Each structure stands twice: as C-alpha cells, then as structure tokens.
Amino acid sequence: MVKRFKRQEYARYKKLGDKWRKPRGRTSKMRRYEAGKPDMPAIGYGSPKNTRNLHPSGYKDVLVRNLKELENLDPATEAARISSSIGKNKKSQMLEKASELGIKVLNK
C-alpha cells in the first residue's frame, strides 16, 4: 500500500486539493518536520523493489505495437497494453492472438 501524502493546508483551502506539493515557505511548520503536521515524502516510504513499476494486477506493463511484439511476451510475468494508434481491425486480430497465447491484455 502506497502512502498518500497530503499538500500543506489542503484542508484549509478546497482549491488546493490533495495533490502533493513540496512546502517551500520560510516559516513552514511542515517543511521543518514539526510534530502534528502531515508527513512529507522520504526515501523510507519507497515500495519494495520486487513490486516496483508493476501494474496493480502484478504483471509488467508492456506497450505492444504489432503482432510480432505480442508474440515475444512472457505470459507468466508480462501483460500487453495495445498501442492507441492501432486500428480496430488489427486490434481484434491482436486480441485473438493474445487469447491463443494466454497473454493478459490491459486495455481490451
């Protein structure tokens, strides 16, 4: 589970939203890591190396542009994401081939 860091004073102003921004103010309590303030991102919060950069399904996300690239995938560890520039006809062919080879397609 990845920790979601909150922006400084996100609760005070609705327009700020929850998206993280580094506090840069001279007197910022959050920047100075004072107690009672939200946590800031640090190296210790990193995800484990073996799960880093994986799709939530657990597969490695690989962009595929043609049938040859699709055939080179390892179905045990890699999942295909078909390029958006592929047309409807080619995409249907690629989906058929993927089901034959047992490859998971992330954007059907």
Side-chain angles (χ1 to χ4, degrees):
M1 176 77 182
V2 178
K3 184 168 171 92
R4 305 298 301 173
F5 295 99
K6 305 279 190 180
R7 184 176 180 168
Q8 178 175 270
E9 298 194 336
Y10 72 96
R12 190 173 183 191
Y13 305 106
K14 191 175 192 304
K15 64 184 176 185
L16 294 181
D18 282 348
K19 193 169 181 187
W20 170 252
R21 289 287 187 272
K22 185 181 172 86
R24 291 188 166 86
R26 176 193 275 182
T27 59
S28 169
K29 314 296 183 290
M30 191 170 170
R31 181 188 59 79
R32 292 186 294 170
Y33 298 98
E34 289 195 5
K37 298 297 174 193
D39 291 333
M40 286 195 351
I43 269 184
Y45 288 109
S47 59
K49 264 190 180 174
N50 55 354
T51 62
R52 205 173 293 161
N53 302 322
L54 292 182
H55 187 267
S57 63
Y59 291 97
K60 185 179 176 207
D61 193 344
V62 180
L63 184 65
V64 176
R65 294 175 191 88
N66 55 46
L67 281 169
K68 192 168 180 90
E69 288 179 4
L70 185 68
E71 292 165 359
N72 293 336
L73 292 184
D74 176 22
T77 59
E78 296 175 330
R81 181 176 304 279
I82 299 174
S83 174
S84 63
S85 61
I86 302 294
K88 187 178 180 181
N89 193 22
K90 274 273 170 57
K91 187 170 182 174
S92 64
Q93 291 174 10
M94 291 174 85
L95 289 170
E96 281 180 36
K97 188 69 172 176
S99 63
E100 283 176 30
L101 298 170
I103 296 171
K104 182 178 176 78
V105 178
L106 299 173
N107 59 339
K108 288 186 178 172

